Structures are given as C-alpha cells and as structure tokens.
C-alpha cells in the first residue's frame, strides 16, 4: 500500500527538471524504509532516469558543435583548394605566353614603331639572337612572383564574392551579379599585388645590361630614384581596366558554362570545351579593357626625374597624349591583334586548368577525409 501511495510522487518527478528530479528521487528513496533505488513496474531505476535526462542535452550540444567544426573545416579546405588551383593555373598560363607578353608590352610603350606581325616576329628573332632563348622569358620571374599570388587571390576571391552576392543561387540567372563578382575579384587581386605588376613591366622593357637585373633591384632603384609612390603609379588606370576585363572574362566563361549545361545537361565540360570557353572569355575581356591597358603600361614604364621636379601625367593626360600623337587605332588598340592570340590562350589555359586542378584537389580531399573517418 505504501508503494502505491508513493507512485504519484515518482510520476510527477519524471516531468520535473534535472535538479527537481534528483531531489524527488532522494526523498522517495528515504521514505521507502531502506530501499536504495526506487523502481517502476518495468524495473527502471529513477536514479538512472535522472542521469539520462541530464546527459541528453550534453550529447546534442556535442553533436551540433561537431557539425559546426566539420562545416568550418570544409570551408577552409575549399579556400585552400581555390588558392592552390588558382596559383597553379595562373603560373601555367603566364609561362606559356611569356614571350608573346613581352613582345606586346614593348610595342605598347613605343610610339615610334608601328605594330605588325612581321615586326613582332622580328623583335622575337632579334631578342633570341642577341641574348639567347631564355631572354624571351625575361621578366618571367617577376611575372611568377606576381601571377602566383594574383591568380590565387583572384580565383579565391571570385568564389567568395559569388557566395556573398548569391550569384545564380537556387537556379536563378543573375547576369549582373555574375559580372560584378568577376569585377570585384579582379579589383581585390590587383590591389594586393600591384607593385609586382609594375616591377614585371619594368623588367620586360629593359635588357639585363642597361636595365634591371633582378626583381629586388627593380624595387630598390624605384624606391631610391623615383620614390615609393611610384610603385603604385598607374594603379587607378589598372583598376578601371580590370573592372571590364575581369568582369567580362568571368561573366563570359560562367555564362558559356551555364548555357552548355542547359543544352547538354553536363555541368562539367571536357578540357577542350573549357579551353574554348576560356579563349572566348579572354578575347572578350581583352577587347573591353585594352585602351586602359595601354595607359597603364605607359604610366608604369615611364621614368620620372624627381630631382628635376618632374611629375607623372594623370590618366586623362596620358589618354589625351596618346590620342593626339597616335590616334585611336595605332594608339589605343596598338598590339590588340597580338592580345587576341595570347589573351585567349592564357585565359583558356587559366580557366580550364583551374577547374581541372580544383576538381582533382577536391577528390583528394574527400579521399583523405574518408580515410580519417574510417
């Protein structure tokens, strides 16, 4: 009879909180004349019931924190994969077209020599005869010092800007956001690596006898002879140029991939298709931004004597001077045909290599994660 009277107290204690449950069980066990554990009809100990109700929230918290940690690791892995893939893709693309790039820069900064394919081939031949085959890649070390961090930052920044702007999320077609994400990625990477771009341009237009021998010498001479502000000369012309260039390039490539997926049903085009899409993106981007590329090269390679109180001309002054002295075709678009060759090659290799390397690194990451979980 005493056990029947005590049952309501036990039932009420089950609905109580952890602290109330413990005190109720203690009082019930004391009034049970020496019985240490109070049990229900199915033999469940009330002490063990109390322990279970207090440990369940702890397990839930541990599970949720584990999920958060896993998600954070995945995000960090994605950033690292983008950085590595972007750096490798940029290095491969720029090394491939380095001789053409040097040829283009030399014609861009010289207003006394008209551009033609014959003239560009003669320049390559003369460089090879006088300085050897490695001279065709002169300045490539500076290019690598710049392009590795530049491409890594650009591709990674593009992934992050796409996520922030929610580009094409949930199946939507956000063309404007697609363009803006590419432009912001270009601005981000260009801003962080600009002095290296200027150093590369200086090395490309000089020889090893009369110009700069090493990348360190470029920075040392500019700092002493022209001032540290020179390292960012032409920056705004570059930013104005990178907005249409990066925006158009990424927009064209992503749009072509999207159209390909809708037509074929495959969201992973093969290497040749990726190269073709990248080539089209490169041609569109180069054409959209080429006049500002001319201005930027002129401002980067122009030497100013600070002792004579000379100053570097502004973007508008440089544009006006080029227009008056050389015109539109021979001034603003000088060497564009060379860019239509090297630009599509470089961008095609860069985009397709990035996709391939990123997919390969993701597969390695998944295999590694699976082994750890096993």
């Amino acid at each position: 009879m005493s056990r029947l009277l005590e049952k309501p107290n036990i039932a009420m204690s089950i609905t109580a909180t952890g602290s109330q449950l413990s005190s109720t069980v203690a009082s019930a066990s004391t009034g049970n004349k020496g019985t240490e554990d109070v049990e229900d009809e199915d033999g469940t100990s009330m002490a063990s019931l109390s322990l279970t109700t207090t440990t369940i929230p702890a397990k839930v918290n541990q599970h949720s924190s584990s999920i958060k940690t896993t998600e954070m690791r995945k995000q960090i892995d994605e950033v690292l994969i983008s950085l590595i893939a972007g750096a490798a893709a940029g290095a491969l693309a720029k090394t491939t077209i380095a001789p053409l790039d040097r040829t283009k820069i030399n014609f861009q900064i010289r207003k006394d020599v008209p551009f033609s394919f014959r003239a560009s081939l003669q320049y390559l031949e003369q460089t090879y005869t006088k300085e050897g085959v490695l001279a065709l890649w002169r300045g490539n070390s500076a290019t690598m010092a710049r392009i590795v961090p530049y491409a890594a930052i650009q591709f990674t920044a593009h992934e992050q800007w796409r996520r922030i702007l929610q580009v094409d999320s949930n199946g939507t077609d956000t063309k404007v956001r697609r363009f803006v994400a590419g432009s912001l990625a270009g601005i981000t990477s260009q801003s962080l690596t600009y002095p290296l771009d200027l150093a590369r341009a200086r090395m490309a237009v000089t020889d090893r006898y009369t110009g700069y021998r090493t990348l360190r010498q470029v920075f040392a001479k500019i700092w002493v002879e022209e001032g540290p502000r020179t390292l960012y000369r032409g920056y705004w012309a570059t930013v104005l140029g990178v907005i249409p260039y990066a925006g158009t390039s990424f927009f064209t490539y992503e749009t072509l991939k999207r159209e390909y997926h809708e037509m074929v049903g495959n969201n992973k085009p093969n290497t040749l298709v990726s190269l073709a899409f990248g080539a089209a993106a490169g041609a569109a981007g180069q054409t959209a931004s080429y006049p500002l590329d001319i201005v930027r090269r002129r401002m980067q390679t122009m030497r100013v004597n600070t002792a004579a109180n000379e100053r570097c001309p502004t973007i508008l002054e440089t544009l006006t001077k080029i227009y008056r002295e050389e015109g539109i075709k021979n001034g603003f678009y000088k060497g564009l045909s060379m860019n239509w060759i090297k630009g599509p090659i470089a961008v095609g290799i860069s985009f397709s290599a990035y996709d391939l390397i990123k997919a390969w690194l993701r597969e390695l990451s998944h295999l590694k994660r699976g082994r750890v979980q096993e």
Side-chain angles (χ1 to χ4, degrees):
M1 189 70 178
S2 60
R3 282 181 66 88
L4 291 173
L5 291 173
E6 289 168 3
K7 293 295 281 184
N9 292 334
I10 296 171
M12 291 174 62
S13 67
I14 293 175
T15 59
T17 59
S19 59
Q20 292 172 334
L21 182 60
S22 301
S23 60
T24 306
V25 171
S27 61
S29 61
T30 304
N32 201 21
K33 295 182 180 181
T35 306
E36 292 183 358
D37 288 328
V38 181
E39 296 184 353
D40 206 343
E41 286 87 344
D42 59 356
T44 304
S45 171
M46 293 309 300
S48 63
L49 233 150
S50 173
L51 182 62
T52 303
T53 54
T54 55
T55 54
I56 286 175
K59 289 182 179 179
V60 171
N61 290 335
Q62 288 176 0
H63 182 64
S64 61
S65 63
S66 176
I67 292 174
K68 288 180 181 178
T69 304
T70 304
E71 288 298 324
M72 187 176 294
R73 285 178 181 174
K74 286 182 180 179
Q75 291 179 3
I76 293 172
D77 287 346
E78 282 296 316
V79 171
L80 290 175
I81 287 171
S82 295
L83 286 170
I84 295 170
L92 178 63
K94 279 296 184 180
T95 301
T96 303
I97 54 97
L100 298 177
D101 208 19
R102 184 181 178 187
T103 303
K104 182 207 72 170
I105 293 174
N106 274 276
F107 279 99
Q108 279 184 330
I109 66 168
R110 296 177 63 183
K111 60 183 179 181
D112 57 327
V113 180
F115 174 82
S116 66
F117 278 108
R118 179 177 294 179
S120 61
L121 291 174
Q122 287 176 351
Y123 172 80
L124 290 170
E125 184 181 356
Q126 289 174 3
T127 303
Y128 169 73
T129 303
K130 291 180 180 179
E131 302 181 62
V133 67
L134 292 179
L136 297 174
W137 275 266
R138 175 173 169 75
N140 195 51
S141 59
T143 301
M144 290 299 101
R146 169 190 172 261
I147 200 62
V148 168
Y150 175 85
I153 293 169
Q154 185 182 46
F155 281 108
T156 306
H158 182 248
E159 298 284 349
Q160 298 305 312
W161 283 118
R162 279 178 58 87
R163 182 179 61 82
I164 293 170
L165 298 175
Q166 297 182 350
V167 177
D168 298 339
S169 61
N170 300 323
T172 58
D173 188 6
T174 53
K175 291 184 174 64
V176 175
R177 292 182 190 178
R178 207 179 302 154
F179 180 87
V180 172
S183 298
L184 289 173
I187 292 172
T188 303
S189 55
Q190 194 67 254
S191 299
L192 295 175
T193 61
Y194 186 77
L196 292 168
D197 184 39
L198 184 139
R200 192 262 300 199
R202 287 287 182 98
M203 289 189 73
V205 299
T206 57
D207 57 52
R208 60 183 176 179
Y209 306 108
T210 61
Y212 309 97
R213 294 190 176 184
T214 63
L215 186 61
R216 182 183 298 178
Q217 192 178 52
V218 177
F219 288 114
K221 277 193 172 185
I222 290 175
W223 189 280
V224 173
E225 297 175 3
E226 302 178 59
R229 292 182 61 183
T230 304
L231 294 173
Y232 275 89
R233 182 189 298 161
Y235 168 77
W236 290 111
T238 303
V239 169
L240 291 175
V242 83
I243 290 173
Y245 174 73
T248 303
S249 297
F250 278 107
F251 171 81
T252 304
Y253 185 70
E254 294 293 328
T255 301
L256 289 173
K257 282 176 64 177
R258 184 185 177 90
E259 294 295 328
Y260 178 83
H261 172 62
E262 291 180 357
M263 290 177 62
V264 181
N266 183 8
N267 59 354
K268 292 182 180 180
N270 59 46
T271 305
L272 290 177
V273 175
S274 293
L275 280 170
F277 290 169
Q286 292 284 355
T287 305
S289 63
Y290 197 78
L292 285 166
D293 191 42
I294 293 280
V295 173
R296 144 176 102 107
R297 292 304 182 197
R298 295 287 177 93
M299 295 180 74
Q300 284 179 340
T301 56
M302 185 184 301
R303 299 192 183 187
V304 175
N305 188 357
T306 54
N309 292 324
E310 292 182 0
R311 69 175 183 85
C312 178
T314 63
I315 296 174
L316 183 60
E317 288 172 347
T318 307
L319 282 168
T320 304
K321 185 177 181 181
I322 293 172
Y323 175 72
R324 287 177 178 175
E325 295 179 359
E326 302 169 65
I328 295 176
K329 181 181 178 181
N330 295 325
F332 292 140
Y333 289 96
K334 186 178 184 180
L336 177 60
S337 54
M338 174 67 77
N339 251 31
W340 279 341
I341 296 175
K342 81 172 194 66
I345 293 173
V347 178
I349 293 174
S350 182
F351 279 150
S352 58
Y354 174 75
D355 284 343
L356 285 172
I357 296 170
K358 185 172 70 171
W360 179 64
L361 290 174
R362 275 179 175 172
E363 186 176 349
L364 287 179
S365 178
H366 290 158
L367 289 173
K368 182 180 178 181
R369 195 178 296 122
R371 288 174 183 172
V372 171
Q373 290 175 355
E374 288 175 1

